[in-house]
Amino acid sequence: MGDQFARIEQAPREPLSAEVAKALLEAVFSGQIQPGTRMPSERQLAESFGVGRFVVREALKSLGLLGLLEVRQGDGTYVRPPRFEPAATRGRVGPARRRTTHQ
């Protein structure tokens, strides 16, 4: 009987915590959530996304490791301002300088 049914292949999917983290990232980068804003509680986020608190906790943890969130013990989790520089200026120390060779 076990051979008469084809095996069901499931398409690979990201973990729910990654999907929640992406949604939160989009909210921050779109301006929906401003830097310095206190994040809703884990319980509120879990209800909003329709997932368990563990999933939300993992998403917040990953965003915290990336430096996007700051956990203030006893006060909550806050969005940090983004810390990136435009690619055009990356690696520059001061104004662009032309290199000249002296012969």
mmCIF file of all heavy atoms in Angstrom, residues 51-86:
data_model
loop_
_atom_site.group_PDB
_atom_site.id
_atom_site.type_symbol
_atom_site.label_atom_id
_atom_site.label_comp_id
_atom_site.label_asym_id
_atom_site.label_seq_id
_atom_site.Cartn_x
_atom_site.Cartn_y
_atom_site.Cartn_z
ATOM 1 N N VAL A 51 1.339 34.354 14.297
ATOM 2 C CA VAL A 51 2.346 33.332 14.587
ATOM 3 C C VAL A 51 2.536 33.255 16.096
ATOM 4 O O VAL A 51 1.981 34.056 16.848
ATOM 5 C CB VAL A 51 3.699 33.659 13.902
ATOM 6 C CG1 VAL A 51 3.557 33.660 12.393
ATOM 7 C CG2 VAL A 51 4.270 34.988 14.390
ATOM 8 N N GLY A 52 3.338 32.307 16.532
ATOM 9 C CA GLY A 52 3.613 32.167 17.958
ATOM 10 C C GLY A 52 4.665 33.163 18.436
ATOM 11 O O GLY A 52 5.423 33.724 17.645
ATOM 12 N N ARG A 53 4.711 33.350 19.734
ATOM 13 C CA ARG A 53 5.683 34.288 20.303
ATOM 14 C C ARG A 53 7.119 33.849 20.074
ATOM 15 O O ARG A 53 8.009 34.676 19.915
ATOM 16 C CB ARG A 53 5.417 34.465 21.804
ATOM 17 C CG ARG A 53 4.184 35.307 22.069
ATOM 18 C CD ARG A 53 3.868 35.440 23.530
ATOM 19 N NE ARG A 53 4.948 36.119 24.240
ATOM 20 C CZ ARG A 53 5.027 36.197 25.564
ATOM 21 N NH1 ARG A 53 4.097 35.649 26.314
ATOM 22 N NH2 ARG A 53 6.020 36.826 26.138
ATOM 23 N N PHE A 54 7.352 32.548 20.033
ATOM 24 C CA PHE A 54 8.699 32.040 19.773
ATOM 25 C C PHE A 54 9.194 32.519 18.406
ATOM 26 O O PHE A 54 10.350 32.913 18.255
ATOM 27 C CB PHE A 54 8.741 30.514 19.848
ATOM 28 C CG PHE A 54 10.093 29.951 19.534
ATOM 29 C CD1 PHE A 54 11.106 29.978 20.473
ATOM 30 C CD2 PHE A 54 10.361 29.411 18.284
ATOM 31 C CE1 PHE A 54 12.370 29.476 20.189
ATOM 32 C CE2 PHE A 54 11.623 28.906 17.977
ATOM 33 C CZ PHE A 54 12.617 28.940 18.935
ATOM 34 N N VAL A 55 8.321 32.487 17.406
ATOM 35 C CA VAL A 55 8.675 32.932 16.055
ATOM 36 C C VAL A 55 9.053 34.411 16.085
ATOM 37 O O VAL A 55 10.058 34.823 15.506
ATOM 38 C CB VAL A 55 7.508 32.673 15.071
ATOM 39 C CG1 VAL A 55 7.750 33.336 13.731
ATOM 40 C CG2 VAL A 55 7.267 31.179 14.907
ATOM 41 N N VAL A 56 8.258 35.210 16.777
ATOM 42 C CA VAL A 56 8.535 36.650 16.889
ATOM 43 C C VAL A 56 9.847 36.874 17.628
ATOM 44 O O VAL A 56 10.671 37.691 17.228
ATOM 45 C CB VAL A 56 7.366 37.379 17.591
ATOM 46 C CG1 VAL A 56 7.743 38.809 17.935
ATOM 47 C CG2 VAL A 56 6.125 37.331 16.725
ATOM 48 N N ARG A 57 10.055 36.128 18.698
ATOM 49 C CA ARG A 57 11.276 36.272 19.493
ATOM 50 C C ARG A 57 12.512 35.989 18.630
ATOM 51 O O ARG A 57 13.504 36.712 18.699
ATOM 52 C CB ARG A 57 11.229 35.318 20.690
ATOM 53 C CG ARG A 57 12.279 35.587 21.731
ATOM 54 C CD ARG A 57 12.077 34.746 22.989
ATOM 55 N NE ARG A 57 10.775 35.004 23.583
ATOM 56 C CZ ARG A 57 9.871 34.062 23.853
ATOM 57 N NH1 ARG A 57 10.130 32.793 23.598
ATOM 58 N NH2 ARG A 57 8.723 34.378 24.384
ATOM 59 N N GLU A 58 12.449 34.951 17.799
ATOM 60 C CA GLU A 58 13.564 34.613 16.912
ATOM 61 C C GLU A 58 13.783 35.708 15.866
ATOM 62 O O GLU A 58 14.917 36.047 15.551
ATOM 63 C CB GLU A 58 13.316 33.267 16.226
ATOM 64 C CG GLU A 58 13.463 32.083 17.145
ATOM 65 C CD GLU A 58 14.866 31.956 17.699
ATOM 66 O OE1 GLU A 58 15.836 31.934 16.906
ATOM 67 O OE2 GLU A 58 15.014 31.890 18.937
ATOM 68 N N ALA A 59 12.715 36.272 15.342
ATOM 69 C CA ALA A 59 12.830 37.353 14.351
ATOM 70 C C ALA A 59 13.475 38.579 14.982
ATOM 71 O O ALA A 59 14.383 39.184 14.402
ATOM 72 C CB ALA A 59 11.453 37.704 13.784
ATOM 73 N N LEU A 60 13.031 38.947 16.173
ATOM 74 C CA LEU A 60 13.599 40.100 16.867
ATOM 75 C C LEU A 60 15.067 39.857 17.217
ATOM 76 O O LEU A 60 15.899 40.760 17.111
ATOM 77 C CB LEU A 60 12.795 40.420 18.126
ATOM 78 C CG LEU A 60 11.355 40.891 17.902
ATOM 79 C CD1 LEU A 60 10.639 41.061 19.237
ATOM 80 C CD2 LEU A 60 11.317 42.175 17.089
ATOM 81 N N LYS A 61 15.363 38.638 17.601
ATOM 82 C CA LYS A 61 16.741 38.278 17.948
ATOM 83 C C LYS A 61 17.647 38.442 16.729
ATOM 84 O O LYS A 61 18.738 39.010 16.829
ATOM 85 C CB LYS A 61 16.778 36.827 18.451
ATOM 86 C CG LYS A 61 18.115 36.341 18.892
ATOM 87 C CD LYS A 61 17.942 34.934 19.477
ATOM 88 C CE LYS A 61 19.231 34.187 19.550
ATOM 89 N NZ LYS A 61 19.025 32.817 20.031
ATOM 90 N N SER A 62 17.196 37.977 15.572
ATOM 91 C CA SER A 62 18.027 38.092 14.370
ATOM 92 C C SER A 62 18.218 39.546 13.968
ATOM 93 O O SER A 62 19.305 39.953 13.564
ATOM 94 C CB SER A 62 17.442 37.277 13.215
ATOM 95 O OG SER A 62 16.196 37.782 12.819
ATOM 96 N N LEU A 63 17.174 40.368 14.104
ATOM 97 C CA LEU A 63 17.309 41.790 13.784
ATOM 98 C C LEU A 63 18.211 42.493 14.798
ATOM 99 O O LEU A 63 18.933 43.430 14.453
ATOM 100 C CB LEU A 63 15.941 42.462 13.725
ATOM 101 C CG LEU A 63 15.025 41.976 12.589
ATOM 102 C CD1 LEU A 63 13.676 42.649 12.672
ATOM 103 C CD2 LEU A 63 15.671 42.206 11.239
ATOM 104 N N GLY A 64 18.171 42.037 16.029
ATOM 105 C CA GLY A 64 19.065 42.580 17.055
ATOM 106 C C GLY A 64 20.518 42.255 16.759
ATOM 107 O O GLY A 64 21.400 43.091 16.916
ATOM 108 N N LEU A 65 20.770 41.029 16.300
ATOM 109 C CA LEU A 65 22.136 40.626 15.952
ATOM 110 C C LEU A 65 22.672 41.431 14.774
ATOM 111 O O LEU A 65 23.870 41.648 14.659
ATOM 112 C CB LEU A 65 22.186 39.130 15.632
ATOM 113 C CG LEU A 65 21.999 38.201 16.828
ATOM 114 C CD1 LEU A 65 21.893 36.752 16.374
ATOM 115 C CD2 LEU A 65 23.146 38.359 17.816
ATOM 116 N N LEU A 66 21.777 41.874 13.909
ATOM 117 C CA LEU A 66 22.180 42.704 12.772
ATOM 118 C C LEU A 66 22.380 44.166 13.178
ATOM 119 O O LEU A 66 22.782 44.986 12.372
ATOM 120 C CB LEU A 66 21.129 42.628 11.663
ATOM 121 C CG LEU A 66 21.013 41.288 10.948
ATOM 122 C CD1 LEU A 66 19.826 41.293 10.003
ATOM 123 C CD2 LEU A 66 22.298 40.965 10.207
ATOM 124 N N GLY A 67 22.061 44.470 14.437
ATOM 125 C CA GLY A 67 22.238 45.834 14.924
ATOM 126 C C GLY A 67 21.089 46.764 14.593
ATOM 127 O O GLY A 67 21.214 47.977 14.707
ATOM 128 N N LEU A 68 19.955 46.200 14.181
ATOM 129 C CA LEU A 68 18.803 47.027 13.803
ATOM 130 C C LEU A 68 17.865 47.321 14.962
ATOM 131 O O LEU A 68 17.062 48.241 14.885
ATOM 132 C CB LEU A 68 18.035 46.353 12.667
ATOM 133 C CG LEU A 68 18.850 46.149 11.392
ATOM 134 C CD1 LEU A 68 18.085 45.281 10.412
ATOM 135 C CD2 LEU A 68 19.210 47.478 10.779
ATOM 136 N N LEU A 69 17.957 46.515 16.000
ATOM 137 C CA LEU A 69 17.113 46.707 17.178
ATOM 138 C C LEU A 69 17.986 46.795 18.420
ATOM 139 O O LEU A 69 19.057 46.192 18.485
ATOM 140 C CB LEU A 69 16.129 45.546 17.348
ATOM 141 C CG LEU A 69 15.106 45.326 16.245
ATOM 142 C CD1 LEU A 69 14.245 44.115 16.573
ATOM 143 C CD2 LEU A 69 14.237 46.549 16.046
ATOM 144 N N GLU A 70 17.504 47.525 19.388
ATOM 145 C CA GLU A 70 18.200 47.648 20.670
ATOM 146 C C GLU A 70 17.231 47.206 21.764
ATOM 147 O O GLU A 70 16.130 47.744 21.878
ATOM 148 C CB GLU A 70 18.608 49.095 20.903
ATOM 149 C CG GLU A 70 19.241 49.334 22.247
ATOM 150 C CD GLU A 70 19.546 50.806 22.480
ATOM 151 O OE1 GLU A 70 19.318 51.631 21.580
ATOM 152 O OE2 GLU A 70 19.994 51.108 23.594
ATOM 153 N N VAL A 71 17.645 46.224 22.547
ATOM 154 C CA VAL A 71 16.826 45.749 23.654
ATOM 155 C C VAL A 71 17.266 46.483 24.907
ATOM 156 O O VAL A 71 18.424 46.412 25.303
ATOM 157 C CB VAL A 71 16.957 44.223 23.842
ATOM 158 C CG1 VAL A 71 16.130 43.761 25.029
ATOM 159 C CG2 VAL A 71 16.554 43.492 22.575
ATOM 160 N N ARG A 72 16.342 47.202 25.499
ATOM 161 C CA ARG A 72 16.613 47.910 26.756
ATOM 162 C C ARG A 72 15.913 47.136 27.859
ATOM 163 O O ARG A 72 14.674 47.109 27.924
ATOM 164 C CB ARG A 72 16.099 49.342 26.689
ATOM 165 C CG ARG A 72 16.767 50.147 25.593
ATOM 166 C CD ARG A 72 16.222 51.548 25.545
ATOM 167 N NE ARG A 72 16.681 52.242 24.343
ATOM 168 C CZ ARG A 72 16.177 53.374 23.908
ATOM 169 N NH1 ARG A 72 15.181 53.963 24.574
ATOM 170 N NH2 ARG A 72 16.637 53.933 22.816
ATOM 171 N N GLN A 73 16.707 46.506 28.683
ATOM 172 C CA GLN A 73 16.174 45.648 29.740
ATOM 173 C C GLN A 73 15.132 46.391 30.564
ATOM 174 O O GLN A 73 15.391 47.459 31.084
ATOM 175 C CB GLN A 73 17.322 45.164 30.630
ATOM 176 C CG GLN A 73 17.064 43.858 31.312
ATOM 177 C CD GLN A 73 16.876 42.708 30.338
ATOM 178 O OE1 GLN A 73 17.426 42.693 29.254
ATOM 179 N NE2 GLN A 73 16.095 41.741 30.732
ATOM 180 N N GLY A 74 13.944 45.817 30.653
ATOM 181 C CA GLY A 74 12.869 46.390 31.455
ATOM 182 C C GLY A 74 12.149 47.548 30.788
ATOM 183 O O GLY A 74 11.206 48.099 31.345
ATOM 184 N N ASP A 75 12.584 47.935 29.575
ATOM 185 C CA ASP A 75 11.960 49.085 28.911
ATOM 186 C C ASP A 75 11.370 48.723 27.558
ATOM 187 O O ASP A 75 10.439 49.366 27.099
ATOM 188 C CB ASP A 75 12.999 50.199 28.749
ATOM 189 C CG ASP A 75 12.388 51.516 28.306
ATOM 190 O OD1 ASP A 75 11.186 51.729 28.550
ATOM 191 O OD2 ASP A 75 13.110 52.320 27.704
ATOM 192 N N GLY A 76 11.924 47.728 26.884
ATOM 193 C CA GLY A 76 11.385 47.339 25.589
ATOM 194 C C GLY A 76 12.451 47.243 24.518
ATOM 195 O O GLY A 76 13.643 47.382 24.777
ATOM 196 N N THR A 77 11.994 47.020 23.304
ATOM 197 C CA THR A 77 12.874 46.892 22.150
ATOM 198 C C THR A 77 12.645 48.088 21.243
ATOM 199 O O THR A 77 11.508 48.417 20.914
ATOM 200 C CB THR A 77 12.582 45.582 21.401
ATOM 201 O OG1 THR A 77 12.761 44.488 22.315
ATOM 202 C CG2 THR A 77 13.499 45.386 20.216
ATOM 203 N N TYR A 78 13.732 48.734 20.847
ATOM 204 C CA TYR A 78 13.651 49.961 20.051
ATOM 205 C C TYR A 78 14.367 49.791 18.715
ATOM 206 O O TYR A 78 15.361 49.060 18.624
ATOM 207 C CB TYR A 78 14.289 51.126 20.813
ATOM 208 C CG TYR A 78 13.485 51.534 22.014
ATOM 209 C CD1 TYR A 78 13.575 50.826 23.211
ATOM 210 C CD2 TYR A 78 12.600 52.598 21.952
ATOM 211 C CE1 TYR A 78 12.816 51.175 24.311
ATOM 212 C CE2 TYR A 78 11.843 52.970 23.050
ATOM 213 C CZ TYR A 78 11.950 52.253 24.222
ATOM 214 O OH TYR A 78 11.189 52.605 25.312
ATOM 215 N N VAL A 79 13.867 50.490 17.711
ATOM 216 C CA VAL A 79 14.485 50.472 16.387
ATOM 217 C C VAL A 79 15.673 51.426 16.402
ATOM 218 O O VAL A 79 15.543 52.581 16.799
ATOM 219 C CB VAL A 79 13.468 50.913 15.305
ATOM 220 C CG1 VAL A 79 14.140 50.948 13.932
ATOM 221 C CG2 VAL A 79 12.267 50.001 15.296
ATOM 222 N N ARG A 80 16.802 50.922 15.976
ATOM 223 C CA ARG A 80 17.998 51.761 15.864
ATOM 224 C C ARG A 80 18.001 52.430 14.492
ATOM 225 O O ARG A 80 17.501 51.868 13.530
ATOM 226 C CB ARG A 80 19.263 50.920 15.972
ATOM 227 C CG ARG A 80 19.557 50.467 17.360
ATOM 228 C CD ARG A 80 20.900 49.789 17.366
ATOM 229 N NE ARG A 80 21.304 49.520 18.734
ATOM 230 C CZ ARG A 80 22.302 48.740 19.060
ATOM 231 N NH1 ARG A 80 23.015 48.156 18.116
ATOM 232 N NH2 ARG A 80 22.610 48.541 20.314
ATOM 233 N N PRO A 81 18.630 53.589 14.409
ATOM 234 C CA PRO A 81 18.772 54.206 13.085
ATOM 235 C C PRO A 81 19.654 53.325 12.210
ATOM 236 O O PRO A 81 20.588 52.698 12.715
ATOM 237 C CB PRO A 81 19.465 55.543 13.364
ATOM 238 C CG PRO A 81 19.423 55.732 14.834
ATOM 239 C CD PRO A 81 19.161 54.415 15.475
ATOM 240 N N PRO A 82 19.380 53.249 10.920
ATOM 241 C CA PRO A 82 20.216 52.413 10.050
ATOM 242 C C PRO A 82 21.656 52.912 10.051
ATOM 243 O O PRO A 82 21.898 54.108 10.082
ATOM 244 C CB PRO A 82 19.603 52.566 8.657
ATOM 245 C CG PRO A 82 18.424 53.440 8.803
ATOM 246 C CD PRO A 82 18.326 53.905 10.215
ATOM 247 N N ARG A 83 22.582 51.974 10.032
ATOM 248 C CA ARG A 83 24.005 52.314 10.039
ATOM 249 C C ARG A 83 24.632 51.849 8.735
ATOM 250 O O ARG A 83 25.356 50.866 8.695
ATOM 251 C CB ARG A 83 24.713 51.602 11.170
ATOM 252 C CG ARG A 83 24.350 52.070 12.518
ATOM 253 C CD ARG A 83 25.078 51.181 13.459
ATOM 254 N NE ARG A 83 25.232 51.769 14.757
ATOM 255 C CZ ARG A 83 25.876 51.193 15.726
ATOM 256 N NH1 ARG A 83 26.435 50.024 15.533
ATOM 257 N NH2 ARG A 83 25.980 51.762 16.901
ATOM 258 N N PHE A 84 24.321 52.516 7.693
ATOM 259 C CA PHE A 84 24.938 52.162 6.430
ATOM 260 C C PHE A 84 25.314 53.437 5.707
ATOM 261 O O PHE A 84 24.784 54.492 5.968
ATOM 262 C CB PHE A 84 24.017 51.300 5.567
ATOM 263 C CG PHE A 84 22.755 52.003 5.153
ATOM 264 C CD1 PHE A 84 22.709 52.747 3.991
ATOM 265 C CD2 PHE A 84 21.608 51.920 5.937
ATOM 266 C CE1 PHE A 84 21.547 53.397 3.619
ATOM 267 C CE2 PHE A 84 20.450 52.571 5.564
ATOM 268 C CZ PHE A 84 20.426 53.311 4.405
ATOM 269 N N GLU A 85 26.260 53.289 4.827
ATOM 270 C CA GLU A 85 26.664 54.435 4.043
ATOM 271 C C GLU A 85 26.414 54.100 2.585
ATOM 272 O O GLU A 85 26.506 52.944 2.188
ATOM 273 C CB GLU A 85 28.135 54.762 4.285
ATOM 274 C CG GLU A 85 29.073 53.596 4.070
ATOM 275 C CD GLU A 85 30.500 53.946 4.408
ATOM 276 O OE1 GLU A 85 31.034 54.895 3.819
ATOM 277 O OE2 GLU A 85 31.067 53.261 5.253
ATOM 278 N N PRO A 86 26.086 55.087 1.781
ATOM 279 C CA PRO A 86 25.848 54.819 0.364
ATOM 280 C C PRO A 86 27.074 54.181 -0.274
ATOM 281 O O PRO A 86 28.211 54.487 0.092
ATOM 282 C CB PRO A 86 25.585 56.209 -0.228
ATOM 283 C CG PRO A 86 25.236 57.072 0.940
ATOM 284 C CD PRO A 86 25.904 56.466 2.141
#
